Amino acid sequence: MSSNAIIHSVIFSLKHEQGSEEEQRFLEDGRTALSAIPTVKNFQVFRQISPKNTYHFGFSMVFDSEADYEAYNVHPNHVAFVKERWEQEVTQFLEIDYNEM
């Protein structure tokens, strides 16, 4: 990974009951829609296990450059997922963007 690469992570909780079909569908749909964006690399879905915070899941991905990250932000898959699913089903989130030093 180059020092220009950006790691984009978001941790979040859903309004759905834990372990529900709706919860699983959101995670699978997120993986499908977002990992299909050409500039997204190493897309991962995580379940948060620490009792130290109230978030339940995480999405993480890598971009080779700032331009690739910006292309992701305006890509129709990302825009649609945020509008149609994220804004409707996520109750809280924290977004972190960082790169190697």
Side-chain angles (χ1 to χ4, degrees), residues 12 22-23 46 57 66 74 76 88:
F12 58 94
E22 293 86 2
E23 177 189 81
F46 298 101
F57 302 101
E66 183 73 29
V74 298
Q88 309 302 314

Side-chain angles (χ1 to χ4, degrees), residues 10 31 35 40-46 58-62:
V10 60
R31 179 191 308 271
S35 67
V40 171
K41 297 196 179 343
N42 196 30
F43 186 90
Q44 297 177 290
V45 178
F46 298 101
F59 286 165
S60 180
M61 61 204 83
V62 176

Side-chain angles (χ1 to χ4, degrees), residues 73-86:
N73 279 322
V74 298
H75 191 280
N77 285 19
H78 178 254
V79 172
F81 185 76
V82 169
K83 183 175 178 72
E84 297 166 10
R85 301 299 298 279
W86 189 270

Side-chain angles (χ1 to χ4, degrees), residues 3-72:
S3 62
N4 291 333
I6 296 169
I7 301 167
H8 171 67
S9 299
V10 60
I11 57 171
F12 58 94
S13 295
L14 297 170
K15 70 177 189 178
H16 307 300
E17 184 177 328
Q18 289 190 21
S20 68
E21 183 178 316
E22 293 86 2
E23 177 189 81
Q24 190 60 37
R25 189 175 317 116
F26 178 92
L27 299 172
E28 290 173 6
D29 290 350
R31 179 191 308 271
T32 299
L34 302 176
S35 67
I37 299 171
T39 60
V40 171
K41 297 196 179 343
N42 196 30
F43 186 90
Q44 297 177 290
V45 178
F46 298 101
R47 181 176 306 277
Q48 201 288 120
I49 60 169
S50 172
K52 295 178 184 176
N53 69 62
T54 59
Y55 300 100
H56 297 129
F57 302 101
F59 286 165
S60 180
M61 61 204 83
V62 176
F63 300 95
D64 287 337
S65 66
E66 183 73 29
D68 284 356
Y69 179 53
E70 289 307 317
Y72 160 81

